Amino acid sequence: MILSYKTERLPLNFFMLGVTLLITGVALIISDVYPGVVAIVIAIPFLFTHSGLLIDAKNKGYKKYTGIFGLRLGSWTDLSKATHLQIIHTRETKGMAVLSIARNETNKVYKLLLMFPHQRILLISNSQQKVEAVAKEIAEALSLELKHAKS
């Protein structure tokens, strides 16, 4: 049984670049300027690239991948020595500055960690409800204990 989760897309500014290139390419093709096809081809990765996580419960492996059009690039890693899953929460601050205008945004983010004896791997980072639902599903499939960090 393979569990599949999409974790994120490219940041918004790259997605908007893709949209801009696509619109520009279409406008150039309509204007009989055929190099607009190049702009459309360049826009495709910006619009359709995403990342995700595959967990193979039968073979005890996981794969973090980058995907585009169903092609999932990444390598499988062994999970047989995993000890447990742990949910933690942190505060993450994202900042953006344009010219003299700066903006910071702080959010509470929940993270699902896969714990090994000498290593921990971040599987998913999202809202509390999403992380807890995914954690329960993964813990059940891999027969691992699910722990919550103390606040």
Side-chain angles (χ1 to χ4, degrees), residues 68-108:
I68 184 167
F69 294 128
L71 179 64
R72 296 174 174 173
L73 305 172
S75 59
W76 286 96
T77 305
D78 184 35
L79 286 177
S80 61
K81 294 181 181 167
T83 57
H84 64 277
L85 292 168
Q86 183 169 9
I87 297 176
I88 63 170
H89 63 273
T90 60
R91 294 202 178 277
E92 289 186 355
T93 302
K94 292 181 182 179
M96 186 168 70
V98 178
L99 298 174
S100 64
I101 302 170
R103 177 176 170 233
N104 289 322
E105 183 177 296
T106 303
N107 294 319
K108 191 173 190 179

Side-chain angles (χ1 to χ4, degrees), residues 90-138:
T90 60
R91 294 202 178 277
E92 289 186 355
T93 302
K94 292 181 182 179
M96 186 168 70
V98 178
L99 298 174
S100 64
I101 302 170
R103 177 176 170 233
N104 289 322
E105 183 177 296
T106 303
N107 294 319
K108 191 173 190 179
V109 177
Y110 286 79
K111 297 180 179 190
L112 176 60
L113 303 174
L114 180 63
M115 307 301 280
F116 289 90
H118 302 289
Q119 181 184 13
R120 63 183 186 183
I121 297 170
L122 174 65
L123 296 180
I124 288 186
S125 178
N126 209 317
S127 68
Q128 181 178 6
Q129 295 82 8
K130 173 80 171 167
V131 169
E132 286 183 353
V134 168
K136 287 176 186 172
E137 187 176 11
I138 293 172

